[in-house]
Amino acid sequence: LEEAIYCSDKELDRNPDNLTALQFKAYCLTDMGKCEESLMILDKILAKQGDNPYALLGKGHALLGLGKHDESLKYFDDVIRINQDIREAHIYKGMALYFLGRHDEAMDIEIFRTEFADRFKDEIDKHQKEKKQG
C-alpha cells in the first residue's frame, strides 16, 4: 500500500488534478487505517464531483473505519441511489447497520446476508478443520 501511495503521489506531482490518482490514494490510506487523511482527500474529490459513487463509497468506508457507523450510512445510501450494482455499498451498509445493533435491517440486505453467511460458514469450516487436525 505504501508503494501504491508513492506511485499515486508521483502521478499527482505530475498532474495534481488527476482525481483517479487521488481516489486511489484515499482508498489505500483507508486500508492502512489512515481514515482521517483519506477523508480529507475524498472531500476534495467530492467538492469537484459530488456524485462520484466511488468517492462517496470511499468516504463511507473511511467513516466506517473511524467507527462513525451512523454517519457512514448516508454515503452508502447515496452510492446505492446512484448505482445499485456496486456490491460494496450494500455490504458496507450492512456492516454499519450491524455495528449499530440494527441486525434485522442488516440482514434484510440480501448481498450482506449472503456475504455474512458465506464468511460465517468459512469460519465454521476452518474451525472444524483445525479441531480435526488438533
Side-chain angles (χ1 to χ4, degrees):
L1 292 172
E2 289 175 12
E3 286 183 36
I5 290 173
Y6 173 81
C7 292
S8 296
D9 284 339
K10 293 298 255 182
E11 172 57 24
L12 291 166
D13 286 343
R14 193 178 69 72
N15 180 4
D17 295 325
N18 185 331
L19 296 181
T20 302
L22 269 175
Q23 191 170 288
F24 183 70
K25 179 178 179 177
Y27 272 52
C28 291
L29 288 167
T30 297
D31 287 347
M32 293 173 69
K34 298 180 178 184
C35 297
E36 291 286 350
E37 195 174 340
S38 176
L39 286 173
M40 290 180 0
I41 293 170
L42 292 161
D43 284 339
K44 287 181 189 177
I45 296 168
L46 291 169
K48 294 180 182 182
Q49 297 179 338
D51 64 345
N52 178 327
Y54 298 101
L56 290 165
L57 180 68
K59 184 161 183 175
H61 187 211
L63 290 167
L64 197 62
L66 290 170
K68 297 181 178 182
H69 308 123
D70 198 35
E71 195 176 334
S72 72
L73 288 172
K74 173 207 177 309
Y75 295 95
F76 302 135
D77 285 337
D78 287 348
V79 173
I80 293 166
R81 180 183 44 78
I82 294 167
N83 183 346
Q84 64 181 344
D85 294 332
I86 299 176
R87 280 180 55 85
E88 291 84 0
H90 297 276
I91 293 168
Y92 291 155
K93 180 179 178 177
M95 289 172 61
L97 290 167
Y98 197 84
F99 291 142
L100 287 166
R102 295 162 59 182
H103 304 127
D104 290 341
E105 286 178 74
M107 291 302 173
D108 285 343
I109 301 170
E110 183 179 349
I111 295 169
F112 175 75
R113 184 177 60 245
T114 302
E115 186 75 19
F116 188 89
D118 287 347
R119 289 185 186 229
F120 184 73
K121 181 189 172 302
D122 289 346
E123 285 299 313
I124 295 295
D125 291 346
K126 180 180 161 186
H127 180 71
Q128 293 296 326
K129 186 177 180 180
E130 289 172 355
K131 202 173 179 181
K132 287 180 184 177
Q133 291 175 349

